[in-house]
């Protein structure tokens, strides 16, 4: 004898099992259509700055405290080894945070008349995260430096 759902009342336990199975199936079926492979905001910002280029390390220096007691004002200094003549110039320095609500912190533009390609300022950090500095060089290459900063009191509402 074949039973159909019309003749069989569903109790809470059967309903809960069915709902859990449906939720599990939907979770496993999630793919790019649901935005699972969407890059993080900071990754998109970094891609916007450097494109497909592979940044080098060594000429760019990022100085920040290892521990920031207050995320509202975290000091930083960025400098690039460059003569600022000919092709050895710095066009811009980009500062990117990996956990702030907005990834692009600041961009500083330079010309050969700027003299030394260096900047010092303060930023807000929402929580412990990496801060990335990218220098856009005059010859089209990029230099990059990264620093992890532990924040004890968040600066962006955290």
């Amino acid at each position: 004898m074949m039973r159909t759902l019309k003749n069989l009342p569903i109790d809470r336990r059967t309903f809960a099992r069915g709902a859990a199975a449906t939720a599990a199936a939907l979770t496993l079926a999630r793919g790019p259509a649901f935005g699972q492979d969407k890059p993080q905001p900071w990754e998109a910002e970094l891609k916007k700055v450097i494109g497909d280029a592979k940044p080098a390390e060594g000429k760019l220096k990022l100085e920040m405290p290892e521990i920031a007691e207050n995320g509202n004002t975290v000091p930083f200094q960025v400098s690039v080894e460059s003569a600022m003549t000919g092709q050895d110039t710095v066009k811009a320095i980009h500062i990117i945070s990996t956990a702030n609500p907005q990834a692009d912190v600041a961009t500083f533009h330079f010309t050969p008349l700027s003299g030394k390609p260096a900047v010092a300022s303060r930023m807000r950090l929402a929580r412990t995260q990496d801060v990335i500095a990218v220098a856009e060089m005059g010859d089209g290459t990029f230099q990059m430096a990264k620093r992890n900063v532990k924040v004890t009191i968040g600066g962006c509402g955290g």
Side-chain angles (χ1 to χ4, degrees):
M1 178 173 164
M2 184 91 144
R3 288 188 162 175
T4 64
L5 288 178
K6 289 181 184 177
N7 297 338
L8 184 66
I10 298 177
D11 62 355
R12 280 190 288 182
R13 184 173 293 162
T14 305
F15 177 78
R17 282 186 198 150
T22 303
L26 287 174
T27 301
L28 293 174
R30 287 180 79 169
F34 288 93
Q36 190 176 27
D37 294 337
K38 186 177 176 184
Q40 295 292 320
W42 72 269
E43 292 171 323
E45 184 65 29
L46 184 61
K47 177 110 174 134
K48 188 170 86 174
V49 172
I50 67 172
D52 292 327
K54 300 292 181 207
E57 294 184 16
K59 285 187 170 185
L60 181 64
K61 185 176 181 183
L62 173 61
E63 296 179 50
M64 297 184 74
E66 187 176 326
I67 298 173
E69 292 189 22
N70 187 345
N72 283 319
T73 56
V74 181
F76 68 92
Q77 294 181 0
V78 185
S79 60
V80 183
E81 292 177 30
S82 171
M84 292 300 280
T85 58
Q87 288 292 320
D88 188 19
T89 59
V90 177
K91 288 176 151 180
I93 295 175
H94 306 271
I95 309 295
I96 300 170
S97 68
T98 60
N100 277 2
Q102 212 165 349
D104 57 331
V105 174
T107 299
F108 303 94
H109 297 277
F110 298 92
T111 69
L113 297 175
S114 299
K116 185 178 179 183
V119 65
S121 188
R122 295 181 302 264
M123 71 173 79
R124 280 187 165 181
L125 295 178
R127 60 182 184 265
T128 298
Q129 61 184 292
D130 288 331
V131 175
I132 301 168
V134 177
E136 186 178 346
M137 306 302 284
D139 62 1
T141 61
F142 295 91
Q143 293 286 321
M144 188 169 89
K146 188 189 305 186
R147 175 81 171 166
N148 184 270
V149 180
K150 294 173 181 69
V151 178
T152 57
I153 300 174
C156 296

